[in-house]
Amino acid sequence: MALTSTIDSWVQEAADSEIVEDSLLWIQNRLRELGLVENEHRVDEDFFISPRLFVYSVLVTYCVGLASIFIYRYRRRSRLKRELQEAKAQLKYLQEKLLQMDENKREVRIFMDGAFDLMHYGHMNAFRLGRSLGTHLVVGVNSDESITQCKAAPLMKDEERLTMVSACKFVDEVVPGCPYIMNKDYLDYVIEKYRIDYVVHGDDPCIVNGVDVYAESKKAGKYRSIPRTEGVSTTDIVG
Protein backbone atom coordinates (compact mmCIF):
# COMPACT_ATOMS: atom_id res chain seq x y z
CA MET A 1 0.00 0.00 0.00
CA ALA A 2 2.80 2.39 0.90
CA LEU A 3 4.52 1.58 -2.41
CA THR A 4 1.34 2.37 -4.37
CA SER A 5 0.97 5.67 -2.57
CA THR A 6 4.59 6.56 -3.25
CA ILE A 7 4.26 5.76 -6.95
CA ASP A 8 1.02 7.77 -7.22
CA SER A 9 2.66 10.74 -5.51
CA TRP A 10 5.65 10.54 -7.85
CA VAL A 11 3.37 10.31 -10.92
CA GLN A 12 1.40 13.40 -9.82
CA GLU A 13 4.61 15.34 -9.25
CA ALA A 14 5.85 14.35 -12.70
CA ALA A 15 2.50 15.21 -14.30
CA ASP A 16 2.68 18.74 -12.84
CA SER A 17 6.17 19.37 -14.15
CA GLU A 18 7.01 21.59 -17.11
CA ILE A 19 8.74 18.72 -18.87
CA VAL A 20 5.49 16.75 -19.13
CA GLU A 21 3.53 19.83 -20.20
CA ASP A 22 6.08 20.69 -22.88
CA SER A 23 6.14 17.08 -24.06
CA LEU A 24 2.34 16.96 -24.40
CA LEU A 25 2.31 20.27 -26.27
CA TRP A 26 4.98 18.98 -28.64
CA ILE A 27 2.97 15.82 -29.27
CA GLN A 28 -0.17 17.89 -29.82
CA ASN A 29 1.61 20.06 -32.38
CA ARG A 30 2.92 17.03 -34.25
CA LEU A 31 -0.56 15.48 -34.29
CA ARG A 32 -2.04 18.76 -35.57
CA GLU A 33 0.54 18.86 -38.35
CA LEU A 34 -0.51 15.35 -39.32
CA GLY A 35 -4.15 16.39 -39.31
CA LEU A 36 -5.03 14.18 -36.39
CA VAL A 37 -5.96 17.09 -34.07
CA GLU A 38 -8.15 19.92 -35.44
CA ASN A 39 -8.47 22.33 -32.53
CA GLU A 40 -5.66 23.74 -30.46
CA HIS A 41 -6.01 22.71 -26.84
CA ARG A 42 -4.13 23.59 -23.70
CA VAL A 43 -2.88 20.76 -21.57
CA ASP A 44 -5.10 21.76 -18.70
CA GLU A 45 -8.17 21.78 -20.95
CA ASP A 46 -9.91 18.95 -22.79
CA PHE A 47 -6.76 17.28 -24.10
CA PHE A 48 -6.50 13.87 -25.80
CA ILE A 49 -4.65 12.47 -22.79
CA SER A 50 -4.21 13.64 -19.21
CA PRO A 51 -0.71 14.38 -17.86
CA ARG A 52 -1.11 11.67 -15.23
CA LEU A 53 -2.09 9.12 -17.86
CA PHE A 54 0.80 10.26 -20.02
CA VAL A 55 3.27 9.74 -17.17
CA TYR A 56 1.77 6.35 -16.44
CA SER A 57 2.07 5.47 -20.12
CA VAL A 58 5.74 6.49 -20.17
CA LEU A 59 6.36 4.54 -16.98
CA VAL A 60 4.62 1.43 -18.32
CA THR A 61 6.47 1.72 -21.62
CA TYR A 62 9.76 2.00 -19.75
CA CYS A 63 8.95 -1.02 -17.60
CA VAL A 64 7.83 -3.02 -20.63
CA GLY A 65 11.06 -2.07 -22.38
CA LEU A 66 13.14 -3.20 -19.41
CA ALA A 67 11.15 -6.44 -19.21
CA SER A 68 11.62 -7.04 -22.93
CA ILE A 69 15.38 -6.54 -22.60
CA PHE A 70 15.47 -8.86 -19.61
CA ILE A 71 13.41 -11.52 -21.41
CA TYR A 72 15.60 -11.23 -24.54
CA ARG A 73 18.80 -11.59 -22.53
CA TYR A 74 17.35 -14.45 -20.50
CA ARG A 75 16.29 -16.32 -23.63
CA ARG A 76 19.65 -15.61 -25.24
CA ARG A 77 21.50 -16.92 -22.19
CA SER A 78 19.20 -19.96 -22.12
CA ARG A 79 19.85 -20.61 -25.81
CA LEU A 80 23.61 -20.21 -25.39
CA LYS A 81 23.50 -22.49 -22.35
CA ARG A 82 21.56 -25.11 -24.32
CA GLU A 83 23.96 -24.84 -27.28
CA LEU A 84 26.91 -25.17 -24.91
CA GLN A 85 25.40 -28.29 -23.35
CA GLU A 86 24.76 -29.75 -26.82
CA ALA A 87 28.34 -28.93 -27.86
CA LYS A 88 29.68 -30.62 -24.73
CA ALA A 89 27.53 -33.67 -25.42
CA GLN A 90 28.77 -33.79 -29.01
CA LEU A 91 32.36 -33.41 -27.85
CA LYS A 92 31.89 -36.25 -25.36
CA TYR A 93 30.38 -38.42 -28.10
CA LEU A 94 33.31 -37.73 -30.45
CA GLN A 95 35.83 -38.42 -27.69
CA GLU A 96 34.13 -41.75 -26.95
CA LYS A 97 34.15 -42.60 -30.67
CA LEU A 98 37.86 -41.80 -30.88
CA LEU A 99 38.56 -43.96 -27.85
CA GLN A 100 36.49 -46.75 -29.37
CA MET A 101 38.40 -46.45 -32.64
CA ASP A 102 41.70 -46.64 -30.74
CA GLU A 103 40.49 -49.73 -28.90
CA ASN A 104 39.26 -51.37 -32.09
CA LYS A 105 42.37 -50.50 -34.06
CA ARG A 106 44.53 -53.61 -34.13
CA GLU A 107 48.09 -53.81 -35.32
CA VAL A 108 48.42 -55.93 -38.47
CA ARG A 109 51.93 -57.33 -38.84
CA ILE A 110 53.26 -58.29 -42.26
CA PHE A 111 56.21 -60.57 -43.00
CA MET A 112 58.18 -60.51 -46.22
CA ASP A 113 61.41 -62.29 -47.02
CA GLY A 114 63.94 -62.36 -49.81
CA ALA A 115 67.58 -62.11 -50.80
CA PHE A 116 67.39 -58.41 -51.70
CA ASP A 117 70.74 -58.56 -53.48
CA LEU A 118 71.71 -55.27 -55.14
CA MET A 119 68.75 -53.38 -53.70
CA HIS A 120 66.70 -51.62 -56.41
CA TYR A 121 63.37 -49.82 -56.71
CA GLY A 122 61.55 -53.09 -57.33
CA HIS A 123 62.47 -54.17 -53.80
CA MET A 124 61.44 -50.76 -52.43
CA ASN A 125 58.09 -50.93 -54.19
CA ALA A 126 57.52 -54.43 -52.81
CA PHE A 127 58.16 -53.12 -49.29
CA ARG A 128 55.76 -50.24 -49.91
CA LEU A 129 53.00 -52.56 -51.14
CA GLY A 130 53.60 -55.03 -48.34
CA ARG A 131 53.46 -52.30 -45.71
CA SER A 132 50.17 -51.04 -47.18
CA LEU A 133 48.54 -54.38 -46.25
CA GLY A 134 49.15 -53.83 -42.53
CA THR A 135 50.58 -51.52 -39.93
CA HIS A 136 53.99 -53.11 -39.24
CA LEU A 137 56.39 -54.66 -41.76
CA VAL A 138 58.89 -57.32 -40.71
CA VAL A 139 61.39 -58.29 -43.41
CA GLY A 140 63.42 -61.50 -43.31
CA VAL A 141 66.71 -61.33 -45.20
CA ASN A 142 67.86 -64.70 -46.62
CA SER A 143 71.27 -65.83 -45.45
CA ASP A 144 74.24 -66.11 -47.80
CA GLU A 145 74.30 -69.87 -47.23
CA SER A 146 70.64 -70.52 -48.08
CA ILE A 147 70.78 -68.31 -51.19
CA THR A 148 73.90 -70.11 -52.43
CA GLN A 149 72.26 -73.52 -51.93
CA CYS A 150 69.07 -72.59 -53.81
CA LYS A 151 70.35 -70.18 -56.48
CA ALA A 152 73.89 -68.88 -56.53
CA ALA A 153 76.15 -66.90 -54.23
CA PRO A 154 74.80 -63.37 -53.70
CA LEU A 155 76.88 -60.41 -54.83
CA MET A 156 76.47 -58.68 -51.49
CA LYS A 157 77.10 -60.18 -48.08
CA ASP A 158 74.59 -60.63 -45.27
CA GLU A 159 75.59 -57.48 -43.41
CA GLU A 160 75.42 -55.31 -46.53
CA ARG A 161 71.96 -56.56 -47.52
CA LEU A 162 70.66 -56.25 -43.96
CA THR A 163 71.90 -52.65 -43.82
CA MET A 164 70.18 -51.70 -47.05
CA VAL A 165 66.87 -53.34 -46.12
CA SER A 166 66.78 -51.79 -42.66
CA ALA A 167 67.41 -48.34 -44.21
CA CYS A 168 64.15 -48.48 -46.18
CA LYS A 169 61.46 -46.25 -44.63
CA PHE A 170 58.74 -48.85 -45.26
CA VAL A 171 60.52 -51.49 -43.16
CA ASP A 172 59.85 -51.52 -39.42
CA GLU A 173 61.90 -54.57 -38.40
CA VAL A 174 64.51 -56.86 -39.98
CA VAL A 175 65.09 -60.57 -39.33
CA PRO A 176 68.58 -61.81 -40.29
CA GLY A 177 69.46 -65.36 -41.39
CA CYS A 178 66.08 -66.20 -42.88
CA PRO A 179 66.16 -69.46 -44.94
CA TYR A 180 65.41 -69.14 -48.64
CA ILE A 181 62.83 -71.94 -48.35
CA MET A 182 60.76 -71.67 -45.18
CA ASN A 183 59.51 -74.98 -43.80
CA LYS A 184 56.55 -75.30 -41.47
CA ASP A 185 58.69 -75.19 -38.33
CA TYR A 186 60.40 -71.97 -39.36
CA LEU A 187 57.14 -70.39 -40.46
CA ASP A 188 55.53 -71.25 -37.12
CA TYR A 189 58.57 -69.80 -35.36
CA VAL A 190 58.37 -66.50 -37.29
CA ILE A 191 54.60 -66.17 -36.84
CA GLU A 192 54.81 -66.76 -33.10
CA LYS A 193 57.90 -64.72 -32.31
CA TYR A 194 57.08 -61.71 -34.47
CA ARG A 195 53.28 -62.03 -34.12
CA ILE A 196 52.83 -62.19 -37.88
CA ASP A 197 49.35 -61.93 -39.39
CA TYR A 198 50.26 -62.38 -43.06
CA VAL A 199 53.22 -63.56 -45.13
CA VAL A 200 53.51 -61.50 -48.32
CA HIS A 201 55.32 -62.07 -51.62
CA GLY A 202 55.04 -60.97 -55.23
CA ASP A 203 52.51 -62.64 -57.50
CA ASP A 204 55.27 -64.29 -59.58
CA PRO A 205 55.83 -68.02 -58.83
CA CYS A 206 58.67 -68.83 -56.43
CA ILE A 207 59.51 -72.49 -57.10
CA VAL A 208 62.77 -74.13 -55.99
CA ASN A 209 63.45 -77.77 -56.86
CA GLY A 210 59.77 -78.17 -57.68
CA VAL A 211 58.71 -76.84 -54.27
CA ASP A 212 56.63 -73.71 -53.73
CA VAL A 213 58.63 -71.62 -51.25
CA TYR A 214 55.39 -70.27 -49.74
CA ALA A 215 53.44 -73.53 -49.70
CA GLU A 216 53.32 -73.66 -45.91
CA SER A 217 52.17 -70.03 -45.66
CA LYS A 218 49.35 -70.73 -48.09
CA LYS A 219 48.27 -73.85 -46.19
CA ALA A 220 48.11 -71.83 -42.99
CA GLY A 221 45.92 -69.20 -44.67
CA LYS A 222 48.55 -66.57 -43.91
CA TYR A 223 49.63 -65.82 -47.46
CA ARG A 224 48.96 -62.59 -49.38
CA SER A 225 50.40 -61.60 -52.74
CA ILE A 226 51.34 -58.22 -54.21
CA PRO A 227 51.97 -57.23 -57.84
CA ARG A 228 55.54 -57.74 -58.97
CA THR A 229 57.32 -54.62 -60.21
CA GLU A 230 57.96 -55.29 -63.87
CA GLY A 231 61.10 -54.32 -65.75
CA VAL A 232 63.64 -54.61 -62.96
CA SER A 233 65.38 -57.45 -61.14
CA THR A 234 68.82 -58.23 -59.76
CA THR A 235 69.26 -60.80 -62.53
CA ASP A 236 68.56 -58.15 -65.18
CA ILE A 237 70.97 -55.71 -63.53
CA VAL A 238 73.79 -58.26 -63.36
CA GLY A 239 73.03 -59.50 -66.87
Side-chain angles (χ1 to χ4, degrees):
M1 195 70 179
L3 178 61
T4 303
S5 177
T6 302
I7 295 176
D8 189 68
S9 174
W10 179 86
V11 169
Q12 184 60 51
E13 182 180 348
D16 295 336
S17 66
E18 293 183 1
I19 295 177
V20 172
E21 181 177 353
D22 292 340
S23 298
L24 288 174
L25 287 173
W26 183 88
I27 294 173
Q28 174 183 275
N29 292 333
R30 300 292 81 75
L31 292 175
R32 187 171 63 252
E33 291 175 359
L34 295 172
L36 299 177
V37 176
E38 295 182 357
N39 300 320
E40 183 176 353
H41 297 284
R42 295 294 298 172
V43 175
D44 55 352
E45 297 176 353
D46 186 17
F47 195 58
F48 70 99
I49 185 172
S50 69
R52 283 177 58 83
L53 183 58
F54 174 75
V55 173
Y56 271 117
S57 300
V58 173
L59 182 61
V60 169
T61 302
Y62 177 76
C63 293
V64 170
L66 286 180
S68 299
I69 294 173
F70 173 79
I71 293 173
Y72 169 77
R73 290 183 176 179
Y74 174 78
R75 289 180 175 176
R76 185 170 182 269
R77 284 197 300 268
S78 298
R79 185 179 70 254
L80 291 174
K81 183 178 180 180
R82 183 174 63 255
E83 291 176 353
L84 179 59
Q85 290 174 343
E86 292 175 354
K88 287 181 178 179
Q90 182 69 11
L91 177 61
K92 183 179 180 181
Y93 169 77
L94 292 175
Q95 289 175 333
E96 290 176 351
K97 291 291 289 184
L98 287 173
L99 290 173
Q100 185 178 1
M101 288 175 63
D102 290 338
E103 291 175 357
N104 294 337
K105 185 178 179 181
R106 185 177 68 87
E107 184 180 52
V108 178
R109 298 173 69 86
I110 304 298
F111 179 79
M112 300 179 68
D113 77 297
F116 308 115
D117 198 13
L118 294 181
M119 282 280 289
H120 50 71
Y121 76 85
H123 294 139
M124 301 296 181
N125 192 42
F127 294 151
R128 180 184 66 84
L129 293 173
R131 183 67 162 71
S132 70
L133 297 178
T135 61
H136 190 91
L137 178 60
V138 181
V139 177
V141 179
N142 302 147
S143 65
D144 290 345
E145 182 181 357
S146 66
I147 297 173
T148 302
Q149 290 176 354
C150 297
K151 297 176 63 175
L155 297 175
M156 305 185 74
K157 299 300 181 183
D158 281 341
E159 185 176 350
E160 295 171 325
R161 291 182 290 112
L162 284 167
T163 300
M164 288 191 296
V165 172
S166 61
C168 178
K169 69 177 183 178
F170 303 114
V171 178
D172 299 296
E173 195 171 351
V174 175
V175 179
C178 181
Y180 193 85
I181 300 178
M182 294 183 293
N183 57 31
K184 185 179 184 304
D185 291 339
Y186 186 81
L187 179 62
D188 291 341
Y189 160 76
V190 168
I191 291 175
E192 181 180 356
K193 180 174 181 179
Y194 297 98
R195 307 188 308 281
I196 301 302
D197 294 290
Y198 300 107
V199 177
V200 175
H201 191 263
D203 55 8
D204 54 312
C206 190
I207 308 297
V208 177
N209 297 328
V211 178
D212 184 350
V213 175
Y214 297 95
E216 293 298 331
S217 304
K218 294 176 180 178
K219 289 180 182 179
K222 294 280 188 177
Y223 183 78
R224 296 290 185 274
S225 64
I226 56 175
R228 183 182 185 277
T229 304
E230 299 293 340
V232 61
S233 69
T234 301
T235 302
D236 293 336
I237 294 174
V238 174

